[in-house]
Amino acid sequence: MKSKPARHFNYRLRLAVSAFIFIGYFSWLGNLSAQTADGSVPAADPKTVASAATTPPAPDHINLWNEDDAQNQSWMFHCQNTDIVQGYPGIASPYEGTNSLPSGGQVRETVSFDFYFGAHIWPGGELYFNPEAYQGFGLANTLGIAAFTNGEAFKSGEQVGNFIIPRLFYRQTFGFGGEQEQLGSDELQLAQKVDVSRLTLTVGKVSFGDFFDDNAYSHDQRTQFMNWTLVDSGGFDSPQDADGYTNGVVLDFNQKNWAVLWGHFMVTKYLNTHALDYDLTKAWEELLELDERYSIGEHPGTVRLLGWLLSANLGSYWDTVNDPSAGMDITQTAKYRYQYGFALSADQEITKDLGVFTRISWGQPNDDCFMFTDMSQSVALGAQLMGTAWSRPNDVVGLADTVGALSQGQATYFNDGGLGSIVGDGQLSYAPENVTETYYNAQLDDHVHLTGDFQLVDNPGFNSARGPVFVFGARLHVEF
């Protein structure tokens, strides 16, 4: 895998973006300065009492800028900054290949700045825009570990920095009447009251993960687990370019206790590329997911069953191994083929402070996995605990284990010197790849989180001859 050429992102601009975020933060702090030492609020000027009485208070997580009311926003603006540093000491490595994790150890960082804009444009219609500035690399340029350790590390890093447009989409909601629910303001959601029974259409540039393969305790690398196969299912070759986004259409039919989602997405033309395949009759991926929501006593849980069908220009592991003229280059056996699989994601609250989750996935094992990672099956188990017991109720501790496996065709291909999108040591002493991750997320205030993270990687790249790898990480996340 090669990084794309870096396009210069002036560090003065990076400082300006940082300043913009922190100006907003200190503006929010300034609102607290009106309180007296005991936390009470001084008596208001009588001239302002009448107008203040008619203005609804802004709830938590509503953005700092003015909006028309707390229940139905006409527009919103949010922003976030996430900085991740990861490093590992030297590892046992009797040999290395093109896609191997270097044996000598490394430290790498990633930085992202996102801005989120949303607006109602007519009844039920909303438009969302998300520009992003990104800089940095994953360990070894995001190579050597299939269950990669940094969910913010794209397959194409940036030496200096770059701007991308991860999301630009239109959403139309059709309500069917009856009971309503309140949706809170979020980075990709305007606060509004909507019918519980509704159909939502989304069209544009999106991340599939905004809709599919969700999990309450493990689906956000900026505040929860950071490992790729804890954020998303490892055996699912999901529709995305090298930055993790694509164009598509999603239909979400929601009821009180269940939902059905269908999505049709564009796929990439080549391995690790931003170029989408515009032969739309041959290149696409369709997803279908059924969500079931329930409660055990007062403790909610959700089970999600996802199936997918991919049509893309895919190479074959077995054809490549059996054809000497291919030279172990899987692209030489590429043709339009179908690939399919399923994923199960479930989360369950045990107590108000403790929740558990699992992910299970299986992908059709004979053809190339080229959009997400080199993996055909995966299983993950984990738990999340809030810090109430030690008087830190907004802190979170997480512990999870994820195991990924290859098909026989994949293992033979890598043993014979083949390269995947992420792994390829030149030869292979095959063993399932196993990653254990634990983190502590300390909430410093409503907008700032600081996380310490540790991941133990056994058999990196499915190779028992190398490793283990001890990955230490730290993450700073700021959001408004």
Side-chain angles (χ1 to χ4, degrees), residues 428-479:
L428 189 67
S429 298
Y430 175 70
E433 187 181 76
N434 185 196
V435 182
T436 302
E437 179 176 2
T438 185
Y439 72 89
Y440 188 99
N441 181 348
Q443 181 173 311
L444 305 185
D445 69 19
D446 286 346
H447 302 276
V448 181
H449 300 255
L450 182 63
T451 301
D453 184 269
F454 172 73
Q455 297 180 52
L456 169 61
V457 185
D458 281 320
N459 310 319
F462 308 98
N463 197 341
S464 63
R466 309 184 77 247
V469 188
F470 301 91
V471 181
F472 300 88
R475 174 179 62 198
L476 176 66
H477 176 68
V478 182
E479 62 180 16

Side-chain angles (χ1 to χ4, degrees), residues 113-173:
F113 294 98
D114 283 88
F115 301 91
Y116 302 90
F117 303 90
H120 274 296
I121 53 179
W122 51 63
E126 306 156 42
L127 189 64
Y128 292 86
F129 174 52
N130 164 213
E132 177 177 284
Y134 175 82
Q135 181 269 328
F137 293 89
L139 296 170
N141 294 348
T142 318
L143 294 173
I145 302 174
F148 199 72
T149 58
N150 182 353
E152 285 278 278
F154 301 142
K155 293 183 181 180
S156 57
E158 292 291 347
Q159 182 71 36
V160 181
N162 189 28
F163 285 104
I164 61 174
I165 306 295
R167 300 174 181 89
L168 176 59
F169 63 87
Y170 171 75
R171 177 185 294 154
Q172 180 70 47
T173 302

Side-chain angles (χ1 to χ4, degrees), residues 49-340:
V49 170
S51 61
T54 63
T55 305
D60 269 347
H61 307 299
I62 298 296
N63 64 70
L64 302 177
W65 286 261
N66 184 42
E67 298 169 10
D68 46 19
D69 77 51
Q71 290 187 330
N72 291 285
Q73 294 177 301
S74 59
W75 62 276
M76 65 83 174
F77 169 75
H78 292 273
C79 55
Q80 79 83 32
N81 166 225
T82 302
D83 305 328
I84 295 177
V85 178
Q86 285 189 329
Y88 68 96
I91 64 172
S93 177
Y95 55 85
E96 294 184 14
T98 303
N99 286 1
S100 293
L101 198 70
S103 60
Q106 257 189 19
V107 176
R108 292 290 184 269
E109 54 84 23
T110 58
V111 179
S112 66
F113 294 98
D114 283 88
F115 301 91
Y116 302 90
F117 303 90
H120 274 296
I121 53 179
W122 51 63
E126 306 156 42
L127 189 64
Y128 292 86
F129 174 52
N130 164 213
E132 177 177 284
Y134 175 82
Q135 181 269 328
F137 293 89
L139 296 170
N141 294 348
T142 318
L143 294 173
I145 302 174
F148 199 72
T149 58
N150 182 353
E152 285 278 278
F154 301 142
K155 293 183 181 180
S156 57
E158 292 291 347
Q159 182 71 36
V160 181
N162 189 28
F163 285 104
I164 61 174
I165 306 295
R167 300 174 181 89
L168 176 59
F169 63 87
Y170 171 75
R171 177 185 294 154
Q172 180 70 47
T173 302
F174 305 92
F176 300 125
E179 184 180 353
Q180 290 194 316
E181 63 180 342
Q182 177 68 44
L183 301 181
S185 179
D186 205 346
E187 293 171 343
L188 300 173
Q189 178 63 64
L190 289 157
Q192 57 187 295
K193 271 199 166 183
V194 295
D195 294 341
V196 171
S197 178
R198 63 185 182 272
L199 177 68
T200 305
L201 167 69
T202 303
V203 180
K205 188 174 184 184
V206 295
S207 165
F208 83 93
D210 296 337
F211 310 93
F212 296 92
D213 201 25
D214 197 3
N215 194 287
Y217 303 117
S218 186
H219 196 54
D220 183 359
Q221 69 274 12
R222 291 170 175 171
T223 59
Q224 299 173 324
F225 294 96
M226 292 195 284
N227 190 278
W228 279 16
T229 61
L230 294 174
V231 175
D232 297 305
S233 296
F236 173 25
D237 199 20
S238 44
Q240 54 184 295
D241 65 9
D243 288 335
Y245 305 94
T246 187
N247 301 323
V249 55
V250 177
L251 284 173
D252 179 351
F253 180 63
N254 186 76
Q255 296 296 296
K256 186 171 184 178
N257 296 317
W258 57 272
V260 176
L261 297 89
W262 169 85
H264 185 92
F265 298 95
M266 294 181 67
V267 298
T268 56
K269 199 168 186 177
Y270 312 109
L271 181 74
N272 297 338
T273 182
H274 296 87
L276 298 178
D277 192 334
Y278 282 88
D279 191 346
L280 300 182
T281 62
K282 295 181 179 180
W284 45 264
E285 186 164 11
E286 289 201 355
L287 313 182
L288 183 65
E289 181 177 300
L290 174 62
D291 297 353
E292 180 71 23
R293 300 181 286 268
Y294 62 91
S295 291
I296 299 176
E298 298 180 350
H299 303 294
T302 305
V303 176
R304 305 167 189 85
L305 181 60
L306 167 67
W308 68 87
L309 178 64
L310 168 65
S311 177
N313 191 33
L314 303 173
S316 164
Y317 296 116
W318 284 120
D319 287 354
T320 305
V321 168
N322 294 326
D323 182 0
S325 67
M328 294 309 299
D329 179 1
I330 199 169
T331 64
Q332 297 301 307
T333 63
K335 64 180 181 179
Y336 283 96
R337 312 169 190 262
Y338 293 110
Q339 193 179 92
Y340 55 89

